[in-house]
Amino acid sequence: MTNNALANSAQAAGESGQSGQIKVVGIAKRFGPFQALSDVNLEIASGEKLVICGPSGSGKSTLIRCMNGIEGHDAGTVVVNGIPLDKVKANRDQIRREVGMVFQSFNLFPHMSVLENCLLAPMSVKGMSRRDAKDVAMHFLSRVRIAEQALKYPSQLSGGQQQRVAIARAMCMKPKILLLDEPTSALDPEMVKEVLDTMVGLAQGGMTMVCVTHEMGFAREVADRVIFMDRGSIVEEAPPEEFFGNPKTPRAQDFLAQILR
Amino acid sequence: MLDFQLMSDAFPKLMGGVGLTGKLSILILLLGMMLAIPIAYARNAQSVWLHGPANAYILLIRGIPSLLQVFMVYYGLGQLDFVRHSALWPILRDPFWCVIIALGLNSAAYTAEIISGALRLIAKGPVEAAYALGLSWFQTQRKVTIPLAIRAALPAYENEIILTVKATSLASTVTLMDLTGVARLEVANTYAPYEIFLTAGAIYFCITTTLSWLLRRLEQRLSLEHMKTLNPTPLQQTETVHA
């Protein structure tokens, strides 16, 4: 299994429609007294690989969660593939079909086997037949090198395996955009690499990827652009070499000094 | 000294009441469950207009003895003119349905408490994942939340089932010939309360322990822990090859 094969499948998924862009204009989000996001503006081009980093509580997870409406925003607009993410249920549903998400804590369905995890959405949301959905599921499960575990339950797998299943589950909906919210933060160190390799493979396709991560190696290898957030705002944005090599703001310098230690 | 002859003579007669005890239990639990699910969702709702009434209902039912609730439905409703003249009167005058209504409403409160607790226990993550995959609220409840809630609720619900089976003995106070009703009749005929009630008690005990054992097995089968020990046969390699 090579990254190339994974890239091809991601390519196919990403290019089923042309667009995969996200436009975030002036969004704000508050949790009680805590201002999680304030006036964030961001444009992500179709096919772009964006890495978001920043200290905890900086709003990076909240921002990514606003991109598929898992978290609602209080002000501003989010437009995904030309569809406004607003109160209209049909718009939100359409966006969620086109945007996949991978979570820090995997969030697999614990009462379903690996295969059933991958079948649920294609069958319930897209109305695919079990047979077709299974073909797609086995395709992506073998792309993340876990097909032989298809009948196991999540609790029988390691963290790295669970996260790879979660990636396959998201890919089964053939999203144009994949959001990854700290996908390797909950993993034991020895499992980080297998998940990162999977992500690098996906990135070689044409799919838009937005990834919250502190994995600099991944950012350097894959990202077109890195944005650094602090206290609910985007503080700095630059190509990865420039950001990691020569951060401009003191806050980014402090942050990088800490994660590099 | 116990009169075993008397006990074995009474046994088949008492068993004749078990059918009604079973029928009452099943119908009460069904009615209770049907009402409990919406009450449980209401209890967990943000809106005070939903959780207020649900909480009040649970508080009220739990605060009044079930026997009194049976009496209120059986004797009380007949006092009201509009009830006597309503189309439902043929049902409400029948002690069988009165017991089912009274104890069903009662069971609904306890079951709602169990289900709402289980719903609150469900981890947020899998539910979020379902939404992110595009499932609707209803699909998410059906495929993710409720299957997980059932697993969380089973140990407590087992208790509710046992309590309901025993609570059906209250039916004997409104003329029904359930297990306890038959036992009381036999005691009146034989003047041997000790033997008869002991036999009836033994029958209840057998029913409840059997139920308990069956439910434990179901619980184990469904448990997420159990899934760790499953050993599925690997899928055939041919299925994984697909361009």
Side-chain angles (χ1 to χ4, degrees):
Chain A
M1 162 64 213
T2 62
N3 278 339
N4 244 350
L6 192 54
N8 289 339
S9 61
Q11 189 105 31
E15 289 181 355
S16 52
Q18 272 302 317
S19 54
Q21 78 275 63
I22 304 174
K23 204 178 279 187
V24 172
V25 183
I27 66 164
K29 172 75 183 176
R30 157 188 290 285
F31 296 106
F34 179 70
Q35 190 76 40
L37 293 175
S38 43
D39 192 29
V40 174
N41 295 282
L42 181 63
E43 258 190 65
I44 303 166
S46 182
E48 185 176 355
K49 320 292 176 231
L50 179 76
V51 160
I52 306 176
C53 62
S56 73
S58 60
K60 51 198 190 311
S61 284
T62 308
L63 175 61
I64 202 175
R65 288 161 60 86
C66 283
M67 292 177 186
N68 65 350
I70 287 295
E71 205 77 74
H73 48 278
D74 302 334
T77 55
V78 177
V79 181
V80 180
N81 279 347
I83 308 163
L85 184 52
D86 49 25
K87 294 277 189 294
V88 181
K89 216 176 136 287
N91 289 350
R92 199 196 60 199
D93 291 349
Q94 187 57 38
I95 287 171
R96 285 183 182 168
R97 278 165 169 248
E98 296 176 12
V99 179
M101 189 164 206
V102 174
F103 300 86
Q104 180 175 359
S105 47
F106 330 136
N107 294 352
L108 295 177
F109 308 124
H111 58 300
M112 295 182 192
S113 69
V114 164
L115 180 61
E116 290 168 75
N117 262 277
C118 294
L119 294 180
L120 178 61
M123 289 175 66
S124 311
V125 179
K126 284 190 168 169
M128 285 171 76
S129 71
R130 194 178 175 85
R131 175 190 290 249
D132 290 350
K134 193 173 165 189
D135 284 347
V136 174
M138 291 314 297
H139 168 71
F140 284 108
L141 285 172
S142 47
R143 289 302 174 258
V144 300
R145 290 171 291 118
I146 206 141
E148 68 286 354
Q149 318 271 23
L151 296 181
K152 284 197 175 172
Y153 284 85
S155 57
Q156 295 175 294
L157 304 179
S158 73
Q161 290 174 321
Q162 288 190 51
Q163 192 62 299
R164 285 188 280 137
V165 171
I167 291 171
R169 178 179 68 176
M171 292 302 296
C172 284
M173 288 297 281
K174 306 208 168 150
K176 295 175 180 132
I177 300 168
L178 189 63
L179 308 174
L180 302 111
D181 187 4
E182 304 205 35
T184 56
S185 304
L187 296 175
D188 292 333
E190 72 271 22
M191 291 166 187
V192 170
K193 189 174 178 296
E194 65 185 62
V195 172
L196 287 178
D197 286 348
T198 306
M199 287 159 55
V200 170
L202 289 179
Q204 287 162 355
M207 192 172 54
T208 308
M209 279 171 86
V210 184
C211 184
V212 174
T213 186
H214 296 160
E215 293 293 339
M216 289 199 332
F218 173 77
R220 281 207 157 102
E221 186 171 350
V222 163
D224 299 307
R225 184 165 51 133
V226 176
I227 68 172
F228 172 73
M229 292 185 72
D230 193 23
R231 290 174 228 159
S233 305
I234 296 174
V235 177
E236 190 165 335
E237 60 176 282
E241 286 312 322
E242 197 182 321
F243 176 75
F244 292 114
N246 184 22
K248 288 186 184 57
T249 57
R251 279 191 272 175
Q253 287 161 6
D254 284 353
F255 172 74
L256 286 174
Q258 287 195 355
I259 64 165
L260 285 175
R261 216 171 358 182
Chain B
M1 194 48 208
L2 285 176
D3 184 342
F4 286 107
Q5 186 57 47
L6 207 149
M7 288 169 87
S8 70
D9 287 346
F11 183 75
K13 292 179 191 157
L14 291 171
M15 285 307 283
V18 168
L20 183 56
T21 294
K23 214 191 290 177
L24 285 170
S25 304
I26 291 168
L27 288 171
I28 290 165
L29 287 167
L30 278 178
L31 176 63
M33 181 57 83
M34 272 164 50
L35 296 172
I37 291 173
I39 296 171
Y41 273 95
R43 181 157 162 31
N44 287 346
Q46 297 258 311
S47 156
V48 72
W49 297 105
L50 288 172
H51 75 238
N55 281 340
Y57 178 77
I58 292 170
L59 202 66
L60 191 71
I61 294 286
R62 289 207 302 192
I64 301 173
S66 338
L67 179 59
L68 229 67
Q69 290 169 17
V70 172
F71 284 167
M72 278 194 261
V73 173
Y74 182 63
Y75 297 113
L77 287 182
Q79 302 266 301
L80 306 169
D81 270 340
F82 72 89
V83 173
R84 265 207 311 277
H85 294 124
S86 79
L88 289 175
W89 181 235
I91 286 173
L92 291 174
R93 131 186 112 179
D94 182 341
F96 176 77
W97 290 109
C98 283
V99 169
I100 285 167
I101 291 166
L103 294 183
L105 290 173
N106 186 282
S107 177
Y110 289 93
T111 307
E113 188 68 13
I114 292 166
I115 295 175
S116 74
L119 288 171
R120 285 196 301 272
L121 270 181
I122 302 295
K124 213 165 88 261
V127 174
E128 238 170 31
Y131 288 141
L133 283 165
L135 273 76
S136 66
W137 182 86
F138 195 76
Q139 287 172 325
T140 303
Q141 299 304 310
R142 202 159 68 87
K143 298 289 190 179
V144 180
T145 309
I146 291 174
L148 291 174
I150 287 173
R151 287 169 171 82
L154 255 180
Y157 191 60
E158 178 204 323
N159 201 36
E160 173 57 21
I161 292 174
I162 304 291
L163 287 175
T164 301
V165 171
K166 292 189 295 177
T168 56
S169 68
L170 297 176
S172 67
T173 62
V174 290
T175 74
L176 288 181
M177 284 297 140
D178 71 320
L179 178 48
T180 305
V182 175
R184 289 172 63 180
L185 184 69
E186 279 306 293
V187 169
N189 290 339
T190 59
Y191 302 106
Y194 197 45
E195 279 86 351
I196 304 293
F197 283 141
L198 208 59
T199 311
I203 296 172
Y204 274 114
F205 181 79
C206 289
I207 296 171
T208 52
T209 42
T210 308
L211 272 176
S212 181
W213 179 75
L214 284 172
L215 289 161
R216 292 263 160 86
R217 285 195 47 171
L218 178 68
E219 210 179 289
Q220 271 168 16
R221 275 198 64 120
L222 288 177
S223 82
L224 300 176
E225 276 301 304
H226 169 70
M227 287 170 181
K228 280 189 190 156
T229 64
L230 295 179
N231 196 8
T233 48
L235 279 190
Q236 294 195 336
Q237 204 54 40
T238 51
E239 290 186 85
T240 68
V241 182
H242 186 275

